[in-house]
Each structure stands twice: as structure tokens, then as C-alpha cells.
Amino acid sequence: MSRKLEGKIAVVTGGTSGIGLATAKRFAMEGAQVFITGRRKTELDKAVAAIGPKATGIQADSGNLNDLNRLYESVKGQAGHIDVLFVNAGGGSMLPLGSITEEQYDDTFNRNVKGVLFTVQKALPLLVDGASVILTSSNVSIKGTPAFSVYGASKAAVRNLARSWTLDLKSRGIRVNVVSPGPIKTPGLVELAGPDAEQQQGLLDYMATTVPLGRVGDPEEVASVAAFLASSESSYIAGTEIFVDGGQAQV
């Protein structure tokens, strides 16, 4: 391992499972001190234990501005600055047009747009010049998906935020990029099929048939891309989007 994040301070929101946890582990393996957030303390404590001694857990909901203030006060007190910010917290649910509710809309945009916006804005005083900011979007932002229009629209907004923020932050050399996964075997994905294990596997099997590589991805495969974007190896990449979807939305 090259330890390309040696000595760096990284913050990973939504770091208790799936892509967030895999990325926090990878950042720590690469040498970074990692702060992770999660809404549930039990899962947060488990994630910190899984990552190891370079991890610190802070219970926070990214859609709650008071929680974000508390997060960054803690990071400031313990580390003083941020080199890498991986804005991963988010989520959504499935409802077709005709059944969409105000509650679903508010929940999805609160988590995926408001949360992303203020997670980055409130981090600005701590971000060093030349920092790397990585936003998690999704390949559904560029393709139609039945019953997933609200989620897809929220992730399309994330992509545009990265474009505009790259210009807003150019004087500081802060790079804002987007990683957009396709179907990745995470708790958030399989739970869309409900609690039944057989139905969950059926969903994964079906999704594999829609991917040119013939399988769903692993969280670690997204974490590898996030680690690249976090490091100096991507020093001339800004405002871009990298799809980690096995070609699903690309061909």
C-alpha cells in the first residue's frame, strides 16, 4: 500500500456502512486520520471499531445544520483542518409518479441536496487550500429509473453543484469531483427489495443482468475511486464525474 493519504485529515459523512464505510477504511489504510458520521450511535461505534485506531465517530445527521456545526467544531478541536471531504451521506426511497408524497420529496432532497450543500459550505473554513471534496451521486442521475424519479433528480442536482462549486472555489485550488456508482451491493440497495433475503438476492441478480460486466459492484470498488480523487494522483482533475457502474449507464 502506497499510503498516499499519509498525514491527511479526512471527513466521511454517512460512514457507517456500504460505500461510506468502505471508503473510510480505505482512507485509513492510506494513512489518513478519518472522522466519520452516522445517525445511529450503535452502528457508528461498530464502524469506528471496524476502521481501527485512526477513526473517530461523530453522531450527526447531515440534513441537520446544528449537527453539522457540532461535527465541524469537533473536527476543528481535534484536527484543526480538513484535507479530504467525502460527502457520502444520503439516500432515498422508491415511489412512482402518481404516488409521490411531499414527505418523500422533502426527505430525499433534505438528505441528498440540502445535506450535501451545507456539509460542504460549513466545511469551508476548515478546508485547506488544495483540498479534495468528493460528492457521491449516482448513475440514475443520467438515466430513467421506474419509481425513482425523485432520487434521480436529487442526484442530478449533486452533479451540478460540483460544476458550480469548482468555479466558486477555484481561487483556493479546492477540487470538487463526483463519484457516481451504479448498482453496488450495500445495505441501502438491498433494503429497497424489503427485509426478505430471497427478494434481496433476486434484486441483485436482476441488476447484474443490466450491467455489461455482468455483476453488481462491491463498495471497495467505489472506495478505490474515492481514494484516487482524494489523493495527489488526481491533482489535475476538477469538476468531473467518474462513473463506477460496470458500464451500466455508459453503453
Side-chain angles (χ1 to χ4, degrees):
M1 185 70 69
S2 62
R3 296 182 69 83
K4 54 194 172 189
L5 299 179
E6 188 70 50
K8 302 293 187 181
I9 305 299
V11 173
V12 177
T13 65
T16 59
S17 67
I19 291 168
L21 177 57
T23 301
K25 287 180 178 178
R26 179 62 181 267
F27 285 178
M29 288 174 60
E30 296 283 3
Q33 179 184 348
V34 184
F35 293 84
I36 67 168
T37 72
R39 294 186 293 177
R40 295 176 290 275
K41 188 175 187 308
T42 299
E43 285 77 5
L44 185 64
D45 291 344
K46 289 179 181 177
V48 168
I51 297 165
K54 296 186 76 69
T56 301
I58 301 170
Q59 189 174 4
D61 178 348
S62 294
N64 184 309
L65 271 57
N66 289 328
D67 281 7
L68 290 174
N69 290 336
R70 186 165 45 79
L71 162 66
Y72 291 128
E73 282 299 318
S74 181
V75 174
K76 180 180 180 180
Q78 297 183 58
H81 70 276
I82 299 170
D83 299 288
V84 180
L85 176 61
F86 183 40
V87 188
N88 176 70
S93 55
M94 303 186 79
L95 285 175
L97 185 64
S99 299
I100 295 168
T101 64
E102 183 177 10
E103 290 75 18
Q104 188 221 16
Y105 174 89
D106 287 344
D107 176 69
T108 303
F109 271 76
N110 188 60
R111 296 166 70 182
N112 296 344
V113 182
K114 176 186 174 184
V116 169
L117 192 165
F118 287 103
T119 295
V120 176
Q121 181 165 283
K122 287 180 175 292
L124 291 178
L126 291 177
L127 287 170
V128 300
D129 290 355
S132 174
V133 175
I134 306 157
L135 313 179
T136 300
S137 182
S138 167
N139 73 353
V140 302
S141 68
I142 64 164
K143 61 192 288 288
T145 308
F148 224 27
S149 61
V150 174
Y151 180 83
S154 72
K155 290 301 188 179
V158 169
R159 176 65 183 101
N160 194 269
L161 291 175
R163 286 189 168 102
S164 299
W165 292 346
T166 296
L167 298 175
D168 288 342
L169 299 173
K170 65 180 183 180
S171 65
R172 296 184 58 191
I174 294 174
R175 299 182 298 111
V176 184
N177 291 294
V178 177
V179 59
S180 287
I184 306 294
K185 189 176 180 181
T186 64
L189 175 64
V190 298
E191 286 168 4
L192 290 173
D196 181 76
E198 186 173 339
Q199 290 182 329
Q200 292 178 353
Q201 187 58 51
L203 175 64
L204 294 175
D205 292 343
Y206 165 73
M207 286 190 162
T209 68
T210 71
V211 178
L213 292 185
R215 62 178 178 84
V216 298
D218 293 319
E220 290 76 17
E221 293 176 297
V222 184
S224 294
V225 175
F228 165 70
L229 290 173
S231 76
S232 61
E233 293 179 354
S234 60
S235 58
Y236 201 53
I237 297 178
T240 197
E241 179 175 21
I242 298 180
F243 289 90
V244 189
D245 69 351
Q248 185 190 51
Q250 314 310 312
V251 298

